[in-house]
Amino acid sequence: GERFVSGNVERLLGYTPGEVLNSPGFWLVKLHPEDREQFTDTLEQAVAGRAPQLEQEFRFLLGNGYRWLYSVTRLVYDDDGGLVDTLGYVMDVTERRQAEAAVRERQATLQAVVEASPDVISILDAEGRVPSMSPAMERITGYPAGEAVGQDAFSGEVIPPDDLEPFAQI
């Protein structure tokens, strides 16, 4: 069958269309060793299930380092269900992956601070519900921190009625 690789591959990946087309197993060789098995397993499962499209994220060797790529591959089958054609594109999603990891790290740090604090720390969401309460809540008030989770902080069940208005304003 006819094979084509867009010239954009050089701008995005740093490899010429010729390098991609003329290097046996180009994609697999450049995949991060830890991602190869999942990549091939996912592709095989998609083909076995005659999936029309496959989306994957994996680390790919660009120059002397790995970048995270997101790929979308359209899979085309013949009447007997055999794979006859693929059409795919990739995007570099390294920055998004790094940003997500940084957010997770910040959340873990915040949670550790909340857990270790001797003071009551309550986190409220935009609706005023409590997604997180420090364990010090129970030590100081006798009220289990877990019971506060999911509660509306402005409902008046936890805050005395006289204090509710000033609390809400703060």
Side-chain angles (χ1 to χ4, degrees), residues 68-114:
W68 279 99
L69 299 184
Y70 164 76
S71 75
V72 177
T73 308
R74 205 177 78 213
L75 305 169
V76 182
Y77 307 91
D78 60 20
D79 293 340
D80 298 323
L83 184 66
V84 291
D85 195 14
T86 60
L87 174 66
Y89 65 88
V90 295
M91 291 184 292
D92 188 326
V93 293
T94 306
E95 279 73 24
R96 175 180 61 77
R97 295 284 300 222
Q98 289 170 339
E100 287 171 355
V103 167
R104 280 194 303 275
E105 192 175 320
R106 280 197 300 274
Q107 286 172 332
T109 301
L110 175 62
Q111 192 60 38
V113 169
V114 168

